[in-house]
């Protein structure tokens, strides 16, 4: 399973990525600092689970989910 972690705060993203390491190697963990980065990556690899911050500069988490759903 491809798990996307999307968080604009670097320290929070690093903490999430560390917490999710326990699920590797059964699952692939992909951390992103913005919704734009995650959306670009989704064009190459399909996310099965997305955990995202809602309030982010640029594309917020809700907009990201809508765009991923359209893919």
């Amino acid at each position: 399973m491809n798990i996307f972690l999307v968080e604009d705060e670097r320290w929070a993203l690093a903490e999430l990525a560390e917490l999710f390491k326990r699920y590797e190697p059964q699952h692939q963990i992909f951390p992103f600092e913005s919704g734009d980065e995650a959306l670009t990556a989704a064009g190459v690899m399909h996310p099965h689970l997305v955990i995202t911050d809602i309030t982010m500069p640029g594309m917020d988490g809700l907009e990201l989910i809508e765009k991923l759903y359209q893919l």
Side-chain angles (χ1 to χ4, degrees):
M1 178 184 321
N2 293 332
I3 301 174
F4 281 23
L5 304 174
V6 188
E7 170 62 63
D8 63 315
E9 302 277 346
R10 284 189 178 181
W11 63 269
L13 183 59
E15 188 173 324
L16 278 172
E18 186 65 31
L19 288 170
F20 276 81
K21 278 186 181 181
R22 70 185 310 189
Y23 300 108
E24 294 177 327
Q26 297 90 350
H27 306 289
Q28 297 290 319
I29 309 301
F30 300 96
F32 300 101
E33 291 186 7
S34 73
D36 292 319
E37 288 179 13
L39 187 59
T40 299
V44 178
M45 67 189 98
H46 177 75
H48 299 100
L49 174 65
V50 177
I51 299 173
T52 183
D53 186 359
I54 292 177
T55 306
M56 295 186 291
M59 183 186 313
D60 67 28
L62 297 176
E63 184 180 353
L64 171 62
I65 295 301
E66 286 179 25
K67 291 186 178 203
L68 288 172
Y69 185 73
Q70 292 173 0
L71 288 177

